[in-house]
């Protein structure tokens, strides 16, 4: 066999670099795409707001009635995390001191780590036994059982107290 015969012979397709590029790039993109879908579906809810939201013509709306009710009643409170308990101290009049309250602690990243506490009336306000992880921030919401009003605040990492106020200011 002469040298010219060996150079004219066709090589198998798997030894051609262009074939690997033509087949490899789409295969890699499919694998990466499947990986992204898996990560996206396992990440859980990533809504920044835990409220029920209606979507109308690409506009998201939520019920601000409880915030307006709290503003009209002039409600303010301080939530403290102390000694394995959560306490709410009223900072204004207008609270029904005999009714229990519901405190919701929303984790900033993982909805499954959210906490809901039923606070019972106490001598100073309301109280419930609970251990709150202070290693990250919490969005805090306080409301009665019927949800007629709500107060909100943000408990920063490594802090033990937060001021709770209506989400709407007096100018809204």
């Amino acid at each position: 066999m002469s040298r010219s015969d060996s150079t004219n012979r066709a090589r198998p397709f798997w030894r051609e670099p262009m074939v690997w590029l033509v087949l490899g790039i789409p295969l890699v993109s499919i694998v990466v795409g499947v990986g992204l879908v898996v990560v996206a579906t396992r990440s859980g809810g990533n809504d920044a707001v835990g409220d029920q939201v209606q979507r109308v013509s690409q506009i998201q709306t939520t019920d601000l009635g409880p915030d307006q009710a709290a503003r009209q009643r002039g409600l303010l409170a301080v939530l403290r995390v102390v000694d394995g308990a959560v306490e709410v101290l009223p900072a204004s009049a207008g609270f029904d001191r005999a009714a229990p309250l519901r405190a919701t602690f929303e984790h900033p990243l993982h909805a499954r780590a959210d906490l809901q506490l039923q606070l019972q009336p106490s001598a100073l306000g309301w109280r419930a036994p609970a251990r709150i992880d202070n290693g990250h921030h919490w969005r805090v919401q306080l409301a009665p059982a019927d949800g007629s009003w709500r107060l909100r605040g943000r408990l920063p990492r490594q802090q033990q107290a937060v001021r709770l106020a209506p989400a709407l200011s007096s100018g809204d």
Side-chain angles (χ1 to χ4, degrees):
M1 180 189 279
S2 71
R3 181 179 166 117
S4 65
D5 288 341
S6 65
T7 57
N8 289 340
R9 244 185 347 183
R11 292 192 310 187
F13 74 92
W14 61 85
R15 293 199 177 206
E16 291 292 331
M18 280 300 172
V19 171
W20 286 110
L21 285 177
V22 169
L23 295 176
I25 290 175
L27 287 175
V28 168
S29 65
I30 289 171
V31 170
V32 169
V34 169
L36 287 174
V37 169
V38 168
V39 168
T41 57
R42 289 185 181 174
S43 66
N46 287 329
D47 288 340
V49 177
D51 295 341
Q52 293 295 328
V53 176
Q54 291 180 319
R55 288 166 177 83
V56 180
S57 299
Q58 297 186 9
I59 298 173
Q60 295 183 0
T61 61
T62 188
D63 181 19
L64 297 176
D67 299 302
Q68 291 171 340
R71 184 185 71 193
Q72 288 170 349
R73 293 173 67 171
L75 299 178
L76 292 172
V78 174
L79 182 136
R80 299 185 327 156
V81 179
V82 291
D83 300 327
V86 173
E87 292 181 336
V88 172
L89 308 171
S92 66
F95 287 97
D96 178 7
R97 296 287 303 270
L101 297 178
R102 182 181 66 237
T104 305
F105 291 80
E106 295 177 355
H107 191 278
L109 297 175
H110 306 291
R112 65 182 169 271
D114 290 355
L115 301 171
Q116 272 204 355
L117 302 175
Q118 192 73 17
L119 303 168
Q120 299 301 322
S122 69
L124 297 176
W126 296 266
R127 185 178 176 93
R131 293 259 180 230
I132 304 296
D133 177 17
N134 67 354
H136 54 81
H137 304 288
W138 290 98
R139 289 187 302 258
V140 181
Q141 179 174 299
L142 183 70
D146 65 0
S148 59
W149 55 265
R150 71 177 161 218
L151 300 176
R152 294 181 178 195
R154 183 170 177 264
L155 182 63
R157 180 172 39 144
Q158 303 297 326
Q159 300 227 353
Q160 286 82 33
V162 60
R163 177 183 177 263
L164 300 175
L168 299 174
S169 65
S170 58
D172 291 335

